[in-house]
Every structure is written in C-alpha cells, then in structure tokens.
Amino acid sequence: MLFSNLFRKPNSQQKKLKSYLQEHWGVVPKELEWYEKALRHKSVVGSGKFCHNDCNERLELLGDAVLDTVVTEYLFMRFPDANEGLLTKIRARIVNRQMLGDVGKKAGLNNLIEARIGTEDSMDKITGNALEAWLGAIYLDRGFETTKKSICDKMLKDYLDIDDVVKQSSDFKSQLIEWAQQQKISFDFRTYASEGSVSSNFVCEIHINGEMHSIAEDRSKKLAEKQAAKLSCQKLGIE
C-alpha cells in the first residue's frame, strides 16, 4: 500500500465499493485500488484519464486462472464418482463467458462497471470479463484462501445453481459453449430485438474469434439463440 494512502479518507464511491464487497462477496478489502481497476473496462482507455495498465485485462487473466483452479477442485470434491470428461463438461458450463455474465449480473457487479456506452463488446461479455478480473483483485488483495471461500460460498451458492448446471441438457447451445471452452476459443452470443419486426422477433448472432459465425431469428431470445447455436454446431461438425 502506498504511504500516502494511509491518510487518505475513502470517498463515497469507495465506501460503496467496500460495502458491496462485504455484503456480496464476504470480503473485507485492504486495498480498494485493485477492485477499482477490476471494474474498469478497456473502453475508457484513451480518455486522457487512464492508460492501458489501468484497465482490467491483466486482472482478468489472473482471475480466470484462479477461478478455473477453484471450480475444478470444488467439482472434484463434490462429485467423487464423476469421470474427468464429465467434470470437464460441468466446469465448462460454469466458467463460460455467458454464465459468468449472468453471475455478474445476479451479484450486481454490472452496476459498478466503468465502461463507455457504445463499446463493441456486449454488456454480458463485459460483465463476465469483469467478474474474472474481480476475482483476480480479491486474490491479489486477500490471497488464495479468501478468494476460494468467496467463490465457493458466494458465487457457487448464492449466484449459481450447481445442480441446475449439472442437469443442463446437452442441447446445441450447451454443446457449442462446451466446445468453445475446451478449445480455448472466444465466442459471444449477441441477442437483440429485430428492428422493424411486427411480430417482435429476436435476432441472435454468434461470434467466434471476433467474427460472426451464424445468425438466426425467432420469436423469443431463447429460441433465437438455440437456432443460431444449431447452425454453428452444424458448420463446426459438433454432434
């Protein structure tokens, strides 16, 4: 901690952040700077106030590794009879970007993120990345055991239903998510209301490695995503 920070009184935003950490993650922070950085998306870089090292991408890398380790151990201990293939599939369902985005929103993390409106990344993706960076911040601030406890006691219990994840049917969307996670390939579901559609349809675009891979339209978000996932699975030869 910087010597100057010893005498610096926390501002209202920092007080809010400290309260959020304690209430939603069970963490009493030492250095709030890590958490402020974890919530800072790369879209704010270049505004004159921040440089690249001030955004959350490095913390995201660290948090991803910590989360992977903790979730793997958690599943290993919870399901002693499951083979490595099943454990890998369950882990992939938990740590994929869409699931992390949902977890981040349930935890209210999306309301604290600092990002420019109009960024190319979807808010779900930004929230999922910020969650990984957030866990990286907890790790650097309070160590591995505190991070592990926060993931197991909060994320995997309060913000995610493990039993529901395990029971997920192997539909096209699940297959695509698991394939991308296993291949370490970035992907993104971008779903939005169809412009000018009288029937209020929804369009889902699936982007793989930054390029649009498939697109589908249907009467609900869920159906549009399933159709787009089916097209991508067929193109990729995923059974």
Side-chain angles (χ1 to χ4, degrees):
M1 180 183 293
L2 294 175
F3 182 75
S4 59
N5 289 341
L6 292 173
F7 304 98
R8 183 184 301 168
K9 292 183 179 180
N11 57 39
S12 59
Q13 184 64 27
Q14 290 174 326
K15 289 180 180 179
K16 179 180 178 182
L17 193 57
K18 184 176 181 180
S19 177
Y20 171 80
L21 268 161
Q22 293 174 320
E23 180 179 351
H24 293 271
W25 297 95
V27 174
V28 178
K30 291 182 179 179
E31 294 198 46
L32 287 172
E33 289 85 351
W34 289 120
Y35 305 98
E36 291 173 325
K37 182 177 289 189
L39 296 170
R40 193 174 296 129
H41 185 250
K42 63 183 180 181
S43 60
V44 302
V45 175
S47 62
K49 185 178 180 181
F50 302 109
C51 64
H52 183 75
N53 285 340
D54 293 322
C55 73
N56 62 11
E57 288 188 321
R58 279 167 50 84
L59 281 173
E60 179 190 335
L61 176 67
L62 178 61
D64 174 67
V66 175
L67 177 63
D68 203 52
T69 299
V70 173
V71 169
T72 301
E73 180 186 353
Y74 177 88
L75 295 176
F76 183 89
M77 300 303 293
R78 177 160 178 173
F79 303 106
D81 297 326
N83 60 37
E84 67 275 16
L86 178 58
L87 292 177
T88 298
K89 286 185 177 181
I90 297 173
R91 182 184 62 189
R93 294 172 188 172
I94 294 173
V95 302
N96 74 73
R97 187 68 60 234
Q98 186 174 23
M99 181 69 77
L100 294 181
D102 290 340
V103 169
K105 286 188 287 187
K106 288 180 181 178
L109 196 68
N110 57 312
N111 297 321
L112 303 173
I113 293 173
E114 186 177 1
R116 284 185 174 181
I117 299 175
T119 176
E120 293 181 0
D121 290 340
S122 68
M123 198 58 202
D124 284 346
K125 182 179 180 181
I126 290 174
T127 302
N129 291 344
L131 176 58
E132 289 183 328
W134 184 257
L135 297 175
I138 296 175
Y139 173 79
L140 289 177
D141 184 42
R142 298 307 311 265
F144 179 77
E145 289 303 322
T146 296
T147 312
K148 177 181 176 181
K149 181 175 176 59
S150 188
I151 292 172
C152 293
D153 292 352
K154 294 295 183 178
M155 175 179 165
L156 298 179
K157 290 184 179 179
D158 292 351
Y159 308 128
L160 192 149
D161 188 335
I162 290 293
D163 292 330
D164 184 58
V165 172
V166 173
K167 292 176 183 178
Q168 283 181 5
S169 60
S170 185
D171 56 21
F172 289 110
K173 186 176 178 181
S174 297
Q175 291 181 47
L176 180 61
I177 290 173
E178 289 167 13
W179 173 83
Q181 189 68 34
Q182 291 170 0
Q183 299 295 321
K184 301 296 183 181
I185 292 176
S186 63
F187 72 100
D188 190 19
F189 284 81
R190 302 182 186 180
T191 309
Y192 51 89
S194 177
E195 294 183 6
S197 175
V198 178
S199 56
S200 299
N201 281 359
F202 290 87
V203 175
C204 176
E205 298 178 3
I206 293 180
H207 293 245
I208 297 179
N209 285 334
E211 297 183 359
M212 190 168 72
H213 192 259
S214 65
I215 182 171
E217 182 175 347
D218 216 306
R219 63 181 181 276
S220 72
K221 291 182 178 181
K222 188 174 182 179
L223 289 173
E225 289 178 353
K226 283 186 176 181
Q227 289 299 323
K230 180 179 180 179
L231 291 174
S232 282
C233 284
Q234 291 173 341
K235 288 182 179 180
L236 295 166
I238 301 173
E239 298 181 356

